[in-house]
Amino acid sequence: MNLTARVVVNRLAQQCAYKRIVTFSTKPAEHAVPAQDEPKNVEVPPAAPTQTPAVPPTTPRKPIIPANYRFVYPEFLPDPKVEWRNSIREKLERLDMLERRKQIDLPEFYVGSVLAVTSSDPHAAGKTSRFVGICINRDRCGLRARFVLRNVIDHQGMEVVYELYDPTIQKVEVLRLEKRLDDSLFYLRDALPEYSTFDENMEAEPLEEGAPVPVNDIKVVLRPRPWLERWERQNLRGVANIDQYLKDKHRLSSARVQKPWEKYDMMKHYRSTIAEEEQTEIFAEVHTELHTLELQRKRNKRKRTFLKPKHLA
């Protein structure tokens, strides 16, 4: 009985015993050298720590926006009035303006530059009309940007208002690129006609690439009163003889309405202009496309067409 009980207890102990499970190999690695074969008195130099070169984080490169973009492309800046602002409409308009510029070359020009605009006219003989004149004003923004050209033809002053992104405009040529002393030249309406007379067959005056835009400091001569506006109240720098036709009552009235303190009003300047940070953000969106168009315009300017001679030697 004692032998049988002892056998039963041993079997139960074997079944209930804790078994150790080895999850790794206990065999020596093949490339490892046994301890008895290692040479004595040999110092193994420590392995040099592997230094991984620090890779700087890749940040998107910001485009370098030229400072003259706000003067070359003023229509890309929105209206500073808050009640007329709409960010979604402004972005969509900028996309449409870039698409329009890919279809037609709209060169750089300023108030005072002489332009020639060719537009489609269903009532003209060749279905197109070409008008040459001096730019006397640029206003509005976005797709509604416009400019005014003035010329005296047959002793009659003529002005044409063009929308810059009008699809009927076929070609815009800059015959003379220059600036004037004033931002608006509406006073040419009351000036002598020779200041607004330009030949319809006027040829383009080339300007060296990279040269600054010249400033024409000419001062026009006005005709006697009455004038279309009271030019003595506008602090014009491009007019020579305003005081010649002023009387004491005109000087008193102009002094009464002057506001010399407005040039120190920083809040008024802020409300009437677009902040520089917002200008940078706007031109950063369109800088790549505008720069590509500028390079294409320069290539077209340098390109010379080869004319095959009719009579060979």
Side-chain angles (χ1 to χ4, degrees):
M1 294 295 292
N2 295 334
L3 180 61
T4 306
R6 189 182 302 171
V7 172
V8 173
V9 172
N10 292 337
R11 290 181 178 178
L12 291 176
Q14 292 177 1
Q15 294 179 0
C16 298
Y18 173 77
K19 295 181 180 180
R20 183 181 179 184
I21 301 175
V22 180
T23 59
F24 57 90
S25 176
T26 57
K27 296 181 180 181
E30 297 179 357
H31 61 276
V33 180
Q36 61 274 12
D37 297 336
E38 291 183 0
K40 298 181 180 179
N41 300 329
V42 176
E43 296 182 358
V44 180
T50 58
Q51 297 181 356
T52 57
V55 179
T58 58
T59 56
R61 185 177 181 182
K62 296 183 179 180
I64 302 177
I65 303 173
N68 62 341
Y69 264 28
R70 60 188 298 264
F71 304 106
V72 179
Y73 308 103
E75 67 275 4
F76 280 91
L77 296 179
D79 196 285
K81 293 186 178 180
V82 181
E83 59 271 17
W84 292 355
R85 297 291 303 275
N86 189 320
S87 59
I88 298 178
R89 175 182 55 81
E90 293 166 2
K91 289 186 177 181
L92 293 177
E93 284 188 354
R94 286 195 288 268
L95 293 177
D96 291 341
M97 293 156 67
L98 291 175
E99 289 297 327
R100 176 57 178 164
R101 283 183 173 270
K102 294 178 182 179
Q103 304 297 328
I104 183 176
D105 182 18
L106 298 177
E108 172 188 2
F109 68 94
Y110 304 90
V111 174
S113 301
V114 182
L115 308 178
V117 178
T118 304
S119 60
S120 60
D121 186 2
H123 305 288
K127 301 300 181 180
T128 59
S129 62
R130 184 174 184 267
F131 185 79
V132 177
I134 181 175
C135 180
I136 62 175
N137 188 43
R138 288 187 69 173
D139 60 350
R140 297 185 181 180
C141 57
L143 291 174
R144 300 171 303 281
R146 65 180 184 179
F147 60 98
V148 185
L149 298 185
R150 177 179 174 81
N151 198 355
V152 177
I153 301 175
D154 293 337
H155 308 285
Q156 181 66 37
M158 299 182 61
E159 294 183 2
V160 183
V161 181
Y162 291 101
E163 292 189 1
L164 187 60
Y165 294 93
D166 188 355
T168 60
I169 294 180
Q170 299 181 0
K171 189 177 182 181
V172 179
E173 306 172 72
V174 178
L175 305 181
R176 181 186 300 165
L177 182 63
E178 64 181 13
K179 299 178 182 179
R180 290 294 184 95
L181 298 176
D182 300 303
D183 297 332
S184 179
L185 303 181
F186 282 125
Y187 54 78
L188 291 179
R189 298 171 177 175
D190 291 323
L192 298 178
E194 56 262 24
Y195 296 102
S196 303
T197 305
F198 300 93
D199 188 8
E200 297 181 2
N201 300 322
M202 177 180 176
E203 297 182 358
E205 301 177 2
L207 187 66
E208 295 183 1
E209 184 177 348
V213 181
V215 179
N216 192 347
D217 56 354
I218 185 175
K219 294 190 175 183
V220 303
V221 178
L222 298 180
R223 292 175 294 187
R225 300 175 70 98
W227 297 329
L228 295 177
E229 296 183 27
R230 298 185 177 181
W231 307 117
E232 70 274 5
R233 299 183 179 183
Q234 299 186 17
N235 298 323
L236 301 175
R237 296 182 297 169
V239 182
N241 62 335
I242 288 184
D243 294 337
Q244 181 180 352
Y245 302 108
L246 294 183
K247 299 181 180 179
D248 292 339
K249 62 177 183 179
H250 298 143
R251 294 186 177 91
L252 291 176
S253 62
S254 61
R256 193 180 304 114
V257 298
Q258 284 183 355
K259 300 177 181 179
W261 60 86
E262 286 188 350
K263 64 181 179 179
Y264 304 107
D265 192 347
M266 300 179 62
M267 201 62 193
K268 180 180 179 181
H269 178 73
Y270 176 79
R271 291 172 178 170
S272 59
T273 56
I274 302 296
E276 294 185 3
E277 295 80 5
E278 190 172 357
Q279 292 184 23
T280 305
E281 181 180 356
I282 291 173
F283 285 122
E285 298 178 4
V286 298
H287 172 263
T288 304
E289 288 78 3
L290 291 178
H291 183 63
T292 304
L293 294 175
E294 289 178 357
L295 295 179
Q296 182 66 27
R297 186 185 305 118
K298 292 180 181 179
R299 284 194 294 266
N300 294 338
K301 187 176 181 181
R302 299 170 186 169
K303 185 178 179 182
R304 297 180 180 179
T305 57
F306 176 75
L307 299 178
K308 185 178 181 180
K310 297 181 180 179
H311 302 284
L312 298 178

Coordinates of all heavy atoms in Angstrom, one line a residue, residues 1-10:
M1 N 0.8 -1.2 0.0 CA 0.0 0.0 0.0 C 0.9 1.3 0.0 O 0.6 2.2 -0.7 CB -0.9 0.0 1.2 CG -2.0 -1.1 1.2 SD -3.2 -0.9 -0.1 CE -4.0 0.6 0.4
N2 N 1.9 1.2 0.8 CA 2.8 2.4 0.8 C 3.5 2.6 -0.5 O 3.7 3.8 -0.9 CB 3.9 2.2 1.9 CG 3.2 2.2 3.3 OD1 2.1 2.7 3.5 ND2 3.9 1.5 4.3
L3 N 3.9 1.6 -1.2 CA 4.5 1.7 -2.5 C 3.5 2.3 -3.6 O 3.9 3.1 -4.3 CB 5.1 0.3 -3.0 CG 5.8 0.3 -4.3 CD1 7.0 1.2 -4.3 CD2 6.2 -1.1 -4.7
T4 N 2.3 1.8 -3.5 CA 1.3 2.3 -4.5 C 1.0 3.7 -4.2 O 0.9 4.5 -5.2 CB 0.1 1.4 -4.4 OG1 0.4 0.1 -4.5 CG2 -0.9 1.8 -5.4
A5 N 0.9 4.1 -3.0 CA 0.6 5.5 -2.7 C 1.8 6.5 -3.1 O 1.6 7.6 -3.6 CB 0.3 5.7 -1.2
R6 N 3.0 6.0 -2.9 CA 4.2 6.8 -3.3 C 4.2 7.0 -4.8 O 4.6 8.0 -5.3 CB 5.4 6.1 -2.8 CG 6.7 6.9 -2.9 CD 7.9 6.1 -2.4 NE 7.6 5.7 -1.1 CZ 8.4 4.8 -0.4 NH1 9.4 4.3 -1.0 NH2 8.2 4.5 0.9
V7 N 3.9 5.9 -5.6 CA 3.9 6.1 -7.0 C 2.8 7.0 -7.5 O 3.1 7.9 -8.4 CB 3.7 4.7 -7.7 CG1 3.5 4.8 -9.2 CG2 4.9 3.8 -7.4
V8 N 1.7 7.0 -6.9 CA 0.6 7.9 -7.3 C 1.0 9.3 -7.0 O 0.7 10.3 -7.8 CB -0.7 7.5 -6.6 CG1 -1.8 8.5 -6.8 CG2 -1.2 6.1 -7.1
V9 N 1.6 9.6 -5.8 CA 2.0 10.9 -5.4 C 3.0 11.5 -6.4 O 3.0 12.6 -6.8 CB 2.5 10.9 -4.0 CG1 3.1 12.3 -3.6 CG2 1.3 10.6 -3.0
N10 N 4.0 10.7 -6.8 CA 5.0 11.1 -7.7 C 4.4 11.5 -9.1 O 4.9 12.5 -9.7 CB 6.1 10.1 -7.9 CG 6.9 9.9 -6.6 OD1 7.0 10.8 -5.8 ND2 7.5 8.7 -6.4

